[in-house]
Amino acid sequence: MSLGRYVGRRLAVTVPVLFGVTALTFSFVHLLPGDAVDAIVGFRAVSPATEAATRAEYHLDQPVWDQYLLWLRDAITLEFGESPVTGRDVSATIGRRLPATLALGGAAWLLALAIGIPAGIVAAVRAGEPADEVGRLAALAGIATPNFWLGLILLFVFSVRLGWFRVLPPDAPLVSLATAKFLVLPTITLGTASAALVMRLLRSSMRRELDATYVTAARAKGLPERTVILKHVLRNAVLPVVTVAGLQLAFLVDGAVVVEGIFSWPGMGRLLVQSVLQRDYPVIQAIVLVIGIAIVLANLLVDIVYAILDPRIRY
Amino acid sequence: MALLEVEDLVVQYYTDDGVVRAVDGLSYEIRAGETVGLVGESGAGKSAASRAVLRLLDGTGEIVGGEIRFRGRDIRELSADDLQAIRGNEIAMVFQDAGAALNPVYTVGEQIAETIRVHEDASDGEARNRTIALLDRVGIPNPAARYADYPHEFSGGMQQRAVIAMALSCDPAVLICDEPTTGLDVTVQAGILELLAELAAKSETAIQLVTHDLGVVAELCDRVLVQYAGEIVERAPVDELYYDPKHPYTVGLLAATPRLDDDRERLPTIPRPAPDLVDPPTGCRFHPRCPYAEDCCASRRPSLVDPVSGRPVDGDPETHVAACLEYTGDLEAGLDYEVQIRDDADSNCRERKQQGEPR
Ligand code: SF4
């Protein structure tokens, strides 16, 4: 099967999955104890008029199936209405927060790959040598360090003590030097564990691949060791890493909850925490939907990259 | 000077059970254009011996002694760059499991073409055209289209042909084939053997054929080396080995070689398992399994001698030699087996030797 047809088929499968995600997201308000209106208004006492208005706004006066379709129509057009808590437009709120989270998450992800992949290669090729031992210790430390602790230490040392970085985000556009500089510490905080994970995973899968006959065969052909490792071994060894890296991409978006809190970064993570504390259900619902879609898309991306790297997958 | 000379080669593997001497004092030579079979049971160190030639030992394997001279240069002393220039270019390998020897994520064509590109100053287009010609030469139909196929789209036999094409890509002086037909079904085996026989007959390439199958050797080889427990126990031109085997181990191997028209239900096998290479038997290594073993066999180590004169032979690799105490006059009762030669209409080579009843 050609790659194009594989991607097409994979895309077609994604559509029902996305419907599933929306259905789950939709139903979670209805699964909460009590009336949906109570949940939406945050279990506060409201006047009958407000209740009726809320009921109408969220189509709660109609059968569940119709409610879902109406909600879906709104969701597709990004109409999540207003937050009953803050009174702000939910879509606009998320639209403001999402880029910040994507910037931090994306930077952390790139950092994880930029460190994890070369470190994993070196550790696998130099297995048992000092470079490998040091790398493995560092990876273990990276995985074992809770990111709130790492974030606080970095913030304390480099921002508070040394004053190299700002403690609070600058009042600058997202794409600016000041913001980029501020993002250094949060990126390290968020990316460290992922880098360590990628490194360990790649190391072990490369070690496995290095024993394969095709590697000996590649050497027997007289290929330089560099080509053997970077062309023949890496492409096979990176496959399990692709799966994990794809899921990491999705998790970095919501894993940012803690890190965004520490660095006062105005992203979705903080928005989620605020919304939960304030029982701002429409916002929570929208965030859950965004995260769900992110995970589905990350999976799609993983499958496509996998198929590009490994021709056997296309069957 | 022979093309490839191996002298006193010692290869060790480090295992949990101890140090395994997979190859122990192996010496042989291969001259330009000839086909030499290296025969023995699995575990006799044949693969280790042939991988050592290109310094490609797997796992913990290490060459601990001896010399491997190719055109007079010791392979063990070569720098990484010099070694790479020889691998795949002057000495090429055909691996036992072709499916595993091909990288699953690159096309078959690319894996052959890259060998050409790395050794020769060929453009991408030239390498591609030569690859297609090679695929054609090894009998892959529709080679231009199959160039872009991935290994999993090839059948087992086609994979083996592709691996042979890969090994031939730079016209090597020596081709080392490690069990090239093992694991393939009989008809496919026959096709591969035919291809190798063609190569052996036509080209200038010398072939070192490593196998446990004396039938394969008979079809392809000029000379045979029989390896047991890491050392050579008999060496002879192929006809002499078949008509007049001198070493009891060779006799046992021949008796265990199946024939196309075989009517025996079970083949006789050499009793007892292959020797423990961590702690090899003293004296003649074959003595625990040899039907003619006498007391002296456990203590005295036989050397390779001319069975007629009982003296070691230097020089001519065509001379028939065997390492058994019989030929140095140390056995009291001597060897007692009888060789039956059967003429088969369908086979020019599969005469069988029957081992005599051990006393
Ligand atoms: S030396 Fe003794 S044990 Fe060895 S092959 Fe000859 S007869 Fe058998």
Side-chain angles (χ1 to χ4, degrees):
Chain A
M1 190 185 345
S2 74
L3 189 60
R5 273 187 55 202
Y6 173 82
V7 172
R9 207 178 58 172
R10 192 59 192 72
L11 274 170
V13 174
T14 304
V15 173
V17 175
L18 279 175
F19 272 107
V21 170
T22 57
L24 275 175
T25 312
F26 166 77
S27 52
F28 107 95
V29 168
H30 295 267
L31 293 173
L32 293 172
D35 192 79
V37 175
D38 289 336
I40 289 167
V41 300
F43 298 99
R44 285 167 304 160
V46 287
S47 69
T50 316
E51 194 192 318
T54 310
R55 231 175 247 292
E57 187 186 342
Y58 292 93
H59 317 295
L60 294 175
D61 43 2
Q62 297 178 30
V64 171
W65 184 244
D66 290 342
Q67 286 181 36
Y68 168 64
L69 288 180
L70 285 166
W71 179 81
L72 188 63
R73 189 197 66 201
D74 290 350
I76 287 172
T77 54
L78 300 178
E79 279 291 336
F80 294 99
E82 285 172 5
S83 154
V85 178
T86 60
R88 291 198 202 114
D89 184 60
V90 175
S91 303
T93 309
I94 293 196
R96 243 182 312 113
R97 298 296 193 107
L98 189 57
T101 286
L102 288 180
L104 175 56
W109 188 71
L110 289 179
L111 179 81
L113 296 187
I115 292 179
I117 289 181
I121 295 172
V122 170
V125 174
R126 305 235 169 280
E129 294 174 29
D132 175 39
E133 302 292 342
V134 170
R136 283 161 76 188
L137 263 180
L140 196 64
I143 287 174
T145 310
N147 58 10
F148 73 87
W149 187 82
L150 180 64
L152 287 174
I153 294 288
L154 289 175
L155 191 68
F156 179 72
V157 173
F158 294 100
S159 301
V160 177
R161 271 295 161 86
L162 296 171
W164 291 0
F165 299 98
R166 295 175 56 104
V167 176
L168 291 172
D171 190 13
L174 194 57
V175 185
S176 68
L177 207 61
T179 310
K181 187 182 172 200
F182 173 78
L183 273 176
V184 169
L185 294 185
T187 300
I188 294 174
T189 309
L190 192 56
T192 298
S194 299
L197 192 70
V198 166
M199 179 244 168
R200 283 170 52 126
L201 201 65
L202 185 59
R203 178 189 182 274
S204 68
S205 84
M206 276 195 83
R207 295 275 296 142
R208 227 181 9 253
E209 293 296 330
L210 279 168
D211 287 336
T213 308
Y214 72 80
V215 181
T216 312
R219 291 195 179 117
K221 288 195 276 187
L223 302 183
E225 190 61 15
R226 211 185 149 75
T227 311
V228 174
I229 300 294
L230 296 183
K231 179 176 177 183
H232 285 272
V233 181
L234 187 60
R235 183 144 164 196
N236 283 284
V238 90
L239 291 172
V241 179
V242 169
T243 310
V244 169
L247 291 179
Q248 286 287 309
L249 182 61
F251 284 132
L252 284 175
V253 173
D254 65 329
V257 170
V258 172
V259 177
E260 286 183 357
I262 293 170
F263 291 95
S264 318
W265 183 248
M268 299 248 294
R270 273 179 76 209
L271 181 64
L272 183 63
V273 174
Q274 282 163 9
S275 310
V276 168
L277 291 176
Q278 297 172 334
R279 301 184 181 228
D280 195 343
Y281 283 93
V283 175
I284 298 176
Q285 206 171 29
I287 294 177
V288 170
L289 186 64
V290 168
I291 292 174
I293 290 174
I295 291 177
V296 171
L297 292 183
N299 267 310
L300 177 66
L301 200 67
V302 165
D303 283 355
I304 292 174
V305 172
Y306 221 103
I308 292 172
L309 291 176
D310 188 348
R312 287 166 300 181
I313 301 297
R314 294 172 212 163
Y315 279 84
Chain B
M1 180 177 70
L3 191 58
L4 180 69
E5 297 164 306
V6 173
E7 207 176 306
D8 287 327
L9 181 67
V10 181
V11 174
Q12 290 184 344
Y13 281 86
Y14 302 92
T15 69
D16 292 342
D17 299 330
V19 179
V20 173
R21 285 215 157 192
V23 178
D24 196 359
L26 184 73
S27 301
Y28 64 89
E29 56 180 77
I30 293 179
R31 291 164 300 172
E34 69 174 343
T35 300
V36 178
L38 187 57
V39 184
E41 293 160 291
S42 51
K46 306 173 315 248
S47 285
S50 37
R51 284 182 166 218
V53 171
L54 280 178
R55 286 182 22 205
L56 282 172
L57 292 167
D58 48 340
T60 59
E62 193 192 346
I63 303 174
V64 292
E67 277 185 31
I68 302 162
R69 285 186 302 272
F70 175 69
R71 298 192 200 280
R73 294 161 82 197
D74 190 350
I75 299 255
R76 290 186 66 198
E77 306 290 325
L78 293 180
S79 69
D81 283 352
D82 289 347
L83 185 61
Q84 273 162 25
I86 287 182
R87 286 174 176 172
N89 191 18
E90 303 223 65
I91 305 178
M93 259 186 112
V94 173
F95 288 83
Q96 170 172 359
D97 183 352
L102 290 164
N103 190 334
V105 301
Y106 289 102
T107 62
V108 172
E110 165 58 20
Q111 295 185 60
I112 299 172
E114 72 176 340
T115 318
I116 299 172
R117 289 199 307 264
V118 79
H119 290 299
E120 284 162 40
D121 197 17
S123 71
D124 289 3
E126 281 163 26
R128 192 191 149 86
N129 289 338
R130 279 182 51 186
T131 300
I132 293 172
L134 279 162
L135 289 173
D136 190 37
R137 180 173 162 203
V138 297
I140 290 176
N142 204 358
R146 312 279 340 229
Y147 181 96
D149 276 0
Y150 288 93
H152 69 265
E153 297 171 273
F154 273 50
S155 67
M158 287 296 150
Q159 286 176 343
Q160 190 57 278
R161 285 171 192 268
V163 166
I164 292 172
M166 192 182 291
L168 293 176
S169 59
C170 296
D171 273 323
V174 180
L175 188 65
I176 297 174
C177 299
D178 187 357
E179 302 274 9
T181 57
T182 308
L184 298 174
D185 70 51
V186 181
T187 43
V188 179
Q189 266 191 22
I192 300 288
L193 283 181
E194 209 171 288
L195 173 63
L196 289 174
E198 238 168 74
L199 288 174
K202 264 196 226 150
S203 70
E204 285 300 291
T205 303
I207 300 178
Q208 173 177 330
L209 180 77
V210 181
T211 180
H212 67 280
D213 187 344
L214 276 169
V216 171
V217 167
E219 293 191 31
L220 297 178
C221 297
D222 304 317
R223 293 194 295 121
V224 194
L225 309 162
V226 180
Q227 191 175 358
Y228 186 79
E231 52 188 22
I232 286 175
V233 295
E234 183 162 5
R235 184 192 76 200
V238 75
D239 289 345
E240 279 188 44
L241 190 95
Y242 280 82
Y243 287 101
D244 189 15
K246 292 295 187 194
H247 195 280
Y249 176 62
T250 312
V251 174
L253 275 185
L254 284 166
T257 301
R259 305 175 334 137
L260 290 176
D261 61 342
D262 222 315
D263 45 6
R264 290 173 294 177
E265 293 213 333
R266 272 187 55 216
L267 291 170
T269 49
I270 303 172
R272 303 213 196 120
D276 176 5
L277 295 174
V278 175
D279 186 14
T282 54
C284 172
R285 295 213 164 143
F286 189 52
H287 84 257
R289 301 167 75 190
C290 181
Y292 314 108
E294 297 179 9
D295 288 349
C296 63
C297 296
S299 55
R300 205 168 311 161
R301 190 133 179 217
S303 52
L304 275 175
V305 295
D306 180 334
V308 180
S309 69
R311 293 210 195 85
V313 189
D314 271 336
D316 188 6
E318 298 279 349
T319 318
H320 193 163
V321 289
C324 172
L325 293 175
E326 163 74 1
Y327 305 114
T328 44
D330 293 305
L331 291 191
E332 284 171 17
L335 305 179
D336 177 25
Y337 54 84
E338 165 193 354
V339 178
Q340 296 178 353
I341 294 167
R342 296 229 213 134
D343 276 325
D344 293 319
D346 63 332
S347 159
N348 51 5
C349 50
R350 295 205 179 220
E351 299 83 5
R352 186 172 78 231
K353 285 83 202 173
Q354 293 285 19
Q355 187 178 331
E357 281 301 305
R359 292 176 307 270

